[in-house]
Amino acid sequence: MRRALLALWLACASGCAVQTAALQAHPPTGLPRSVELANTPFFAQTEYQCGPAALATALGAVGVGAAPATLGEQVFLPARGGSLQAEMLAGARRQGAVATVIPGQLEAVLRELAAGHVVVVLQNLGLSFAPLWHYAVVVGYDLDTDDVLLRSGTTRRATMPLRTFEHTWARSGFWAFVALPPGDWPLTAQADAVVEAAIGFERSATPAQALRTYESAARRWPDKLPLAIGLGNAAHASGDKRRAVQVFRAAAEHHGSGAAWVNLATVLLELGEREAAQAAARHAVNDPAWGARAREIVTAAP
């Protein structure tokens, strides 16, 4: 059935590969003509285990050793016969890597590869009415032959035309992610995806890992309030309350954020600076979400 569906798909895949055509007409500047991350490990995918095997491959590429069997216990859903995207991201994060969704663009995939980052992609090797979902790891490309290189299925070095890759990838909504150590981010990462990745990683990270993650994210995207709040929380969790005060104050003053003002007031109370805490809390007394907590701090008895 798998072979029949794949053959049927190949017979019908005659639509326009828009991104491929644009890439061929106007090759992105600053990219080498070919890249292959040849040292990327390979784990052959057994039936229903393509998610764990792809995840083990991506983690192994950044030095995180995790066997597909172990990952399968975390990300494989027997009722669904596979692994959903949310489980793939969470599985990487539980292993100590920050998994970040990247833009669904061929150019983004190529730029990540040129930066030395393998890319996990979700493909549909079947049809829209008979899907055959499959995770693969992109490890290279060749613009002269218009091919991508994959760790896929039971093939260590699978070659697929860019046009075919685009078709199979498009059916997943062009979903892809990069897994990297805390403190590193995909070259093409966008701010909202980074916020989601940092918050998701923090749930299973040590305070030191979370701090490193938020520090690097806040440096690259300094105007994102959630990253500033996360950095303050991570500093506090690491025991550095004075730094948390500095971070929350800067975020509160820059964004006028009730959450930042209340967090600042709370840490100041912990430091025994009651008057300063009340002064900070007064900025948030009219905030719909944080006003009640702010008023508690302002009116608290000495």
Side-chain angles (χ1 to χ4, degrees), residues 128-167:
S128 59
F129 60 86
L132 186 62
W133 298 111
H134 175 72
Y135 290 103
V137 182
V138 190
V139 299
Y141 67 87
D142 190 325
L143 293 179
D144 293 323
T145 61
D146 290 323
D147 290 327
V148 293
L149 304 174
L150 307 162
R151 299 281 189 267
S152 179
T154 58
T155 305
R156 178 182 180 87
R157 189 180 186 273
T159 302
M160 180 176 285
L162 270 171
R163 182 177 296 274
T164 304
F165 174 75
E166 181 182 346
H167 279 298

Short mmCIF file of all heavy atoms in Angstrom, two decimals, residues 128-167:
data_model
loop_
_atom_site.label_atom_id
_atom_site.label_comp_id
_atom_site.label_asym_id
_atom_site.label_seq_id
_atom_site.Cartn_x
_atom_site.Cartn_y
_atom_site.Cartn_z
N SER A 128 -3.63 14.21 -0.66
CA SER A 128 -4.42 14.94 0.32
C SER A 128 -5.55 14.07 0.86
O SER A 128 -5.90 14.14 2.04
CB SER A 128 -4.99 16.22 -0.30
OG SER A 128 -5.80 15.90 -1.43
N PHE A 129 -6.13 13.20 0.00
CA PHE A 129 -7.23 12.34 0.44
C PHE A 129 -6.74 10.99 0.97
O PHE A 129 -7.52 10.21 1.51
CB PHE A 129 -8.23 12.13 -0.70
CG PHE A 129 -7.63 11.48 -1.92
CD1 PHE A 129 -7.54 10.10 -2.02
CD2 PHE A 129 -7.17 12.26 -2.97
CE1 PHE A 129 -7.00 9.50 -3.14
CE2 PHE A 129 -6.63 11.67 -4.10
CZ PHE A 129 -6.53 10.29 -4.19
N ALA A 130 -5.45 10.70 0.81
CA ALA A 130 -4.86 9.46 1.32
C ALA A 130 -3.45 9.77 1.81
O ALA A 130 -2.46 9.38 1.19
CB ALA A 130 -4.85 8.38 0.25
N PRO A 131 -3.34 10.51 2.93
CA PRO A 131 -2.03 11.00 3.36
C PRO A 131 -1.12 9.88 3.85
O PRO A 131 -1.57 8.87 4.39
CB PRO A 131 -2.38 11.95 4.50
CG PRO A 131 -3.70 11.47 5.01
CD PRO A 131 -4.42 10.96 3.81
N LEU A 132 0.17 10.08 3.64
CA LEU A 132 1.20 9.19 4.14
C LEU A 132 2.25 10.08 4.81
O LEU A 132 3.22 10.50 4.19
CB LEU A 132 1.82 8.38 3.01
CG LEU A 132 2.82 7.29 3.41
CD1 LEU A 132 2.14 6.22 4.27
CD2 LEU A 132 3.41 6.65 2.15
N TRP A 133 2.00 10.41 6.07
CA TRP A 133 2.83 11.38 6.78
C TRP A 133 4.19 10.78 7.09
O TRP A 133 4.32 9.60 7.43
CB TRP A 133 2.14 11.83 8.06
CG TRP A 133 0.83 12.51 7.81
CD1 TRP A 133 -0.41 12.06 8.11
CD2 TRP A 133 0.66 13.78 7.17
NE1 TRP A 133 -1.37 12.95 7.71
CE2 TRP A 133 -0.74 14.03 7.12
CE3 TRP A 133 1.52 14.73 6.62
CZ2 TRP A 133 -1.27 15.18 6.56
CZ3 TRP A 133 0.98 15.87 6.05
CH2 TRP A 133 -0.39 16.09 6.03
N HIS A 134 5.20 11.64 7.00
CA HIS A 134 6.58 11.15 7.12
C HIS A 134 7.48 12.29 7.59
O HIS A 134 7.45 13.40 7.04
CB HIS A 134 7.06 10.65 5.74
CG HIS A 134 8.49 10.24 5.70
ND1 HIS A 134 8.95 9.09 6.30
CD2 HIS A 134 9.58 10.83 5.13
CE1 HIS A 134 10.26 8.98 6.10
NE2 HIS A 134 10.65 10.03 5.39
N TYR A 135 8.28 12.01 8.62
CA TYR A 135 9.31 12.96 9.06
C TYR A 135 10.64 12.58 8.41
O TYR A 135 11.03 11.41 8.38
CB TYR A 135 9.49 12.93 10.58
CG TYR A 135 8.33 13.52 11.35
CD1 TYR A 135 7.42 12.69 11.99
CD2 TYR A 135 8.15 14.90 11.44
CE1 TYR A 135 6.35 13.22 12.70
CE2 TYR A 135 7.09 15.44 12.14
CZ TYR A 135 6.20 14.60 12.78
OH TYR A 135 5.14 15.12 13.48
N ALA A 136 11.35 13.59 7.92
CA ALA A 136 12.68 13.39 7.36
C ALA A 136 13.58 14.51 7.87
O ALA A 136 13.10 15.54 8.37
CB ALA A 136 12.65 13.38 5.84
N VAL A 137 14.87 14.30 7.74
CA VAL A 137 15.84 15.31 8.16
C VAL A 137 16.63 15.76 6.94
O VAL A 137 17.31 14.95 6.29
CB VAL A 137 16.79 14.75 9.23
CG1 VAL A 137 17.77 15.84 9.69
CG2 VAL A 137 16.00 14.22 10.43
N VAL A 138 16.54 17.04 6.63
CA VAL A 138 17.27 17.59 5.48
C VAL A 138 18.70 17.87 5.92
O VAL A 138 18.93 18.59 6.90
CB VAL A 138 16.61 18.88 4.96
CG1 VAL A 138 17.23 19.29 3.63
CG2 VAL A 138 15.11 18.71 4.81
N VAL A 139 19.66 17.30 5.20
CA VAL A 139 21.07 17.43 5.58
C VAL A 139 21.91 18.10 4.50
O VAL A 139 23.12 18.29 4.69
CB VAL A 139 21.68 16.06 5.93
CG1 VAL A 139 20.95 15.43 7.11
CG2 VAL A 139 21.67 15.12 4.72
N GLY A 140 21.29 18.46 3.36
CA GLY A 140 22.09 19.10 2.32
C GLY A 140 21.26 19.48 1.12
O GLY A 140 20.06 19.19 1.03
N TYR A 141 21.92 20.15 0.19
CA TYR A 141 21.28 20.55 -1.07
C TYR A 141 22.35 20.75 -2.13
O TYR A 141 23.54 20.91 -1.82
CB TYR A 141 20.46 21.83 -0.88
CG TYR A 141 21.31 23.06 -0.59
CD1 TYR A 141 21.86 23.83 -1.61
CD2 TYR A 141 21.56 23.45 0.72
CE1 TYR A 141 22.64 24.95 -1.36
CE2 TYR A 141 22.34 24.56 1.00
CZ TYR A 141 22.88 25.31 -0.04
OH TYR A 141 23.66 26.41 0.22
N ASP A 142 21.91 20.78 -3.36
CA ASP A 142 22.80 21.06 -4.49
C ASP A 142 22.00 21.91 -5.48
O ASP A 142 21.06 21.41 -6.12
CB ASP A 142 23.27 19.76 -5.14
CG ASP A 142 24.38 20.01 -6.17
OD1 ASP A 142 24.34 21.06 -6.85
OD2 ASP A 142 25.27 19.15 -6.30
N LEU A 143 22.34 23.17 -5.60
CA LEU A 143 21.60 24.06 -6.49
C LEU A 143 21.91 23.80 -7.96
O LEU A 143 21.15 24.23 -8.83
CB LEU A 143 21.92 25.52 -6.13
CG LEU A 143 21.43 26.00 -4.76
CD1 LEU A 143 21.84 27.45 -4.53
CD2 LEU A 143 19.92 25.84 -4.65
N ASP A 144 23.01 23.14 -8.25
CA ASP A 144 23.32 22.84 -9.64
C ASP A 144 22.49 21.68 -10.17
O ASP A 144 22.15 21.64 -11.36
CB ASP A 144 24.82 22.52 -9.78
CG ASP A 144 25.68 23.74 -9.49
OD1 ASP A 144 25.27 24.86 -9.87
OD2 ASP A 144 26.75 23.58 -8.88
N THR A 145 22.16 20.74 -9.30
CA THR A 145 21.31 19.62 -9.72
C THR A 145 19.87 19.78 -9.24
O THR A 145 19.01 18.95 -9.56
CB THR A 145 21.86 18.30 -9.17
OG1 THR A 145 21.88 18.34 -7.73
CG2 THR A 145 23.28 18.05 -9.68
N ASP A 146 19.61 20.84 -8.45
CA ASP A 146 18.28 21.10 -7.89
C ASP A 146 17.77 19.93 -7.05
O ASP A 146 16.63 19.48 -7.19
CB ASP A 146 17.26 21.43 -9.00
CG ASP A 146 17.54 22.78 -9.63
OD1 ASP A 146 17.93 23.70 -8.90
OD2 ASP A 146 17.36 22.91 -10.86
N ASP A 147 18.64 19.46 -6.16
CA ASP A 147 18.30 18.35 -5.27
C ASP A 147 18.45 18.76 -3.81
O ASP A 147 19.23 19.66 -3.48
CB ASP A 147 19.22 17.15 -5.52
CG ASP A 147 18.97 16.47 -6.85
OD1 ASP A 147 17.80 16.48 -7.30
OD2 ASP A 147 19.94 15.95 -7.44
N VAL A 148 17.71 18.08 -2.95
CA VAL A 148 17.97 18.13 -1.52
C VAL A 148 18.41 16.74 -1.08
O VAL A 148 18.07 15.73 -1.71
CB VAL A 148 16.74 18.58 -0.70
CG1 VAL A 148 16.39 20.01 -0.99
CG2 VAL A 148 15.55 17.67 -0.94
N LEU A 149 19.17 16.69 0.01
CA LEU A 149 19.66 15.44 0.57
C LEU A 149 18.99 15.21 1.91
O LEU A 149 18.89 16.14 2.73
CB LEU A 149 21.18 15.49 0.74
CG LEU A 149 21.98 15.82 -0.53
CD1 LEU A 149 23.45 15.97 -0.20
CD2 LEU A 149 21.78 14.73 -1.58
N LEU A 150 18.54 13.99 2.14
CA LEU A 150 17.75 13.68 3.32
C LEU A 150 18.27 12.44 4.04
O LEU A 150 18.80 11.52 3.40
CB LEU A 150 16.29 13.42 2.93
CG LEU A 150 15.57 14.48 2.10
CD1 LEU A 150 14.33 13.87 1.45
CD2 LEU A 150 15.18 15.65 2.98
N ARG A 151 18.11 12.43 5.36
CA ARG A 151 18.10 11.19 6.12
C ARG A 151 16.63 10.82 6.18
O ARG A 151 15.84 11.49 6.83
CB ARG A 151 18.67 11.38 7.53
CG ARG A 151 20.12 11.86 7.57
CD ARG A 151 21.09 10.71 7.33
NE ARG A 151 22.46 11.12 7.57
CZ ARG A 151 23.30 11.57 6.64
NH1 ARG A 151 22.86 11.72 5.40
NH2 ARG A 151 24.54 11.89 6.94
N SER A 152 16.24 9.73 5.52
CA SER A 152 14.82 9.48 5.33
C SER A 152 14.55 7.98 5.29
O SER A 152 15.21 7.25 4.54
CB SER A 152 14.33 10.12 4.04
OG SER A 152 12.96 9.88 3.82
N GLY A 153 13.58 7.55 6.08
CA GLY A 153 13.19 6.14 6.06
C GLY A 153 14.36 5.23 6.39
O GLY A 153 15.01 5.38 7.42
N THR A 154 14.63 4.30 5.51
CA THR A 154 15.76 3.38 5.70
C THR A 154 16.95 3.77 4.83
O THR A 154 17.87 2.98 4.66
CB THR A 154 15.33 1.94 5.37
OG1 THR A 154 14.84 1.89 4.02
CG2 THR A 154 14.24 1.46 6.32
N THR A 155 16.91 4.99 4.28
CA THR A 155 17.97 5.45 3.38
C THR A 155 18.81 6.52 4.06
O THR A 155 18.29 7.57 4.44
CB THR A 155 17.38 6.01 2.07
OG1 THR A 155 16.53 5.02 1.48
CG2 THR A 155 18.49 6.39 1.10
N ARG A 156 20.10 6.25 4.19
CA ARG A 156 20.97 7.19 4.88
C ARG A 156 21.14 8.49 4.09
O ARG A 156 21.15 9.57 4.66
CB ARG A 156 22.36 6.56 5.11
CG ARG A 156 23.35 7.51 5.77
CD ARG A 156 24.72 6.89 5.95
NE ARG A 156 25.62 7.84 6.59
CZ ARG A 156 25.73 8.00 7.90
NH1 ARG A 156 25.00 7.27 8.72
NH2 ARG A 156 26.57 8.89 8.40
N ARG A 157 21.25 8.38 2.77
CA ARG A 157 21.49 9.56 1.93
C ARG A 157 20.50 9.53 0.76
O ARG A 157 20.83 9.10 -0.33
CB ARG A 157 22.93 9.59 1.42
CG ARG A 157 23.34 10.89 0.72
CD ARG A 157 24.79 10.80 0.28
NE ARG A 157 25.28 12.05 -0.28
CZ ARG A 157 25.15 12.41 -1.55
NH1 ARG A 157 24.53 11.60 -2.41
NH2 ARG A 157 25.63 13.57 -1.97
N ALA A 158 19.31 9.99 1.05
CA ALA A 158 18.28 10.02 0.01
C ALA A 158 18.38 11.34 -0.76
O ALA A 158 18.52 12.41 -0.17
CB ALA A 158 16.90 9.89 0.64
N THR A 159 18.29 11.25 -2.08
CA THR A 159 18.30 12.42 -2.95
C THR A 159 16.90 12.65 -3.49
O THR A 159 16.28 11.71 -4.01
CB THR A 159 19.29 12.24 -4.10
OG1 THR A 159 20.60 11.99 -3.57
CG2 THR A 159 19.35 13.48 -4.98
N MET A 160 16.42 13.88 -3.38
CA MET A 160 15.07 14.19 -3.86
C MET A 160 15.11 15.51 -4.61
O MET A 160 15.69 16.49 -4.13
CB MET A 160 14.10 14.30 -2.68
CG MET A 160 12.66 14.63 -3.08
SD MET A 160 11.51 14.63 -1.65
CE MET A 160 11.34 12.86 -1.38
N PRO A 161 14.52 15.59 -5.80
CA PRO A 161 14.47 16.86 -6.51
C PRO A 161 13.76 17.94 -5.68
O PRO A 161 12.79 17.65 -4.98
CB PRO A 161 13.67 16.53 -7.78
CG PRO A 161 13.84 15.05 -7.96
CD PRO A 161 13.90 14.48 -6.58
N LEU A 162 14.24 19.15 -5.76
CA LEU A 162 13.63 20.25 -5.02
C LEU A 162 12.13 20.36 -5.30
O LEU A 162 11.33 20.60 -4.39
CB LEU A 162 14.32 21.57 -5.39
CG LEU A 162 15.52 22.00 -4.56
CD1 LEU A 162 16.19 23.20 -5.21
CD2 LEU A 162 15.12 22.32 -3.14
N ARG A 163 11.76 20.18 -6.55
CA ARG A 163 10.35 20.29 -6.93
C ARG A 163 9.51 19.24 -6.20
O ARG A 163 8.44 19.54 -5.65
CB ARG A 163 10.21 20.14 -8.45
CG ARG A 163 8.79 20.28 -8.97
CD ARG A 163 8.79 20.18 -10.49
NE ARG A 163 9.53 21.29 -11.09
CZ ARG A 163 9.01 22.48 -11.36
NH1 ARG A 163 7.73 22.70 -11.11
NH2 ARG A 163 9.74 23.42 -11.91
N THR A 164 9.99 18.00 -6.18
CA THR A 164 9.27 16.94 -5.48
C THR A 164 9.24 17.20 -3.98
O THR A 164 8.21 17.02 -3.32
CB THR A 164 9.93 15.58 -5.75
OG1 THR A 164 9.99 15.36 -7.16
CG2 THR A 164 9.15 14.45 -5.10
N PHE A 165 10.37 17.65 -3.44
CA PHE A 165 10.43 17.97 -2.02
C PHE A 165 9.41 19.04 -1.67
O PHE A 165 8.70 18.93 -0.65
CB PHE A 165 11.83 18.43 -1.65
CG PHE A 165 11.95 18.91 -0.24
CD1 PHE A 165 11.98 18.01 0.82
CD2 PHE A 165 12.02 20.27 0.04
CE1 PHE A 165 12.07 18.45 2.13
CE2 PHE A 165 12.11 20.72 1.35
CZ PHE A 165 12.14 19.81 2.40
N GLU A 166 9.32 20.07 -2.50
CA GLU A 166 8.36 21.14 -2.22
C GLU A 166 6.93 20.60 -2.19
O GLU A 166 6.14 20.96 -1.30
CB GLU A 166 8.48 22.26 -3.24
CG GLU A 166 7.51 23.41 -2.95
CD GLU A 166 7.57 24.53 -3.97
OE1 GLU A 166 8.54 24.58 -4.77
OE2 GLU A 166 6.64 25.36 -3.98
N HIS A 167 6.59 19.75 -3.14
CA HIS A 167 5.23 19.19 -3.18
C HIS A 167 4.93 18.41 -1.91
O HIS A 167 3.86 18.55 -1.31
CB HIS A 167 5.07 18.28 -4.40
CG HIS A 167 4.80 19.02 -5.68
ND1 HIS A 167 3.68 19.80 -5.87
CD2 HIS A 167 5.52 19.09 -6.83
CE1 HIS A 167 3.72 20.32 -7.09
NE2 HIS A 167 4.82 19.90 -7.69
#
